[in-house]
Amino acid sequence: HVQLVESGGDSVQAGGSLRLSCTASKSSLSVNCMGWSRQAPGKEREAVAEISNRDNPTYALSAEGRFTISKDKAKNILYLQMKELRPEDTAVYTCARGMTMYDNWDVPNPRPPYCDYNLWGQGTQVTVS
């Protein structure tokens, strides 16, 4: 039974940085697809960034240039490094794993969603003021 546990959420000032972590209880990072999404109060969930099993990333327009998704396979940890944070980044950030829906990860500036998720974490709160 695999679990995903996020950490690293915090309250920061605009312009600040945070690194979110998602630790898998068992090896999950070799699965097809993992990613981060976020949901702000009263808004729909937004896919922020994804990464394939070959480490190809996708980023939402809102995240491109400011967020970086990566993973440490040895430690079973998925990361989301965020910089230049804005108040509109305030949300609960959730990691998830699943299967790739598409093969063309290597096109210029691929946008989520590329992943069909089947396992979610509980989320971690990021507040930017």
Side-chain angles (χ1 to χ4, degrees), residues 7-109:
S7 61
D10 205 345
S11 296
V12 297
Q13 292 188 336
S17 299
L18 280 176
R19 187 177 77 165
L20 306 182
S21 300
C22 173
T23 301
S25 58
K26 295 181 182 179
S27 178
S28 289
L29 303 192
S30 60
V31 300
N32 217 239
C33 203
M34 293 196 73
W36 291 93
S37 64
R38 66 186 181 186
Q39 189 165 24
K43 295 188 177 181
E44 292 188 358
R45 181 174 296 279
E46 175 190 19
V48 174
E50 301 165 317
I51 190 166
S52 73
N53 60 350
R54 297 180 181 181
D55 294 340
N56 302 97
T58 71
Y59 295 102
L61 270 175
S62 59
E64 191 169 30
R66 300 187 301 125
F67 294 3
T68 303
I69 189 170
S70 63
K71 54 187 177 181
D72 185 329
K73 293 181 181 179
K75 296 181 180 179
N76 292 333
I77 301 176
L78 178 73
Y79 297 106
L80 185 67
Q81 179 70 50
M82 306 185 293
K83 66 179 183 180
E84 300 172 14
L85 285 163
R86 306 164 180 166
E88 53 264 40
D89 294 319
T90 295
V92 175
Y93 286 70
T94 305
C95 72
R97 74 166 198 178
M99 299 301 293
T100 300
M101 296 189 290
Y102 310 111
D103 294 329
N104 59 338
W105 286 79
D106 56 352
V107 299
N109 303 318

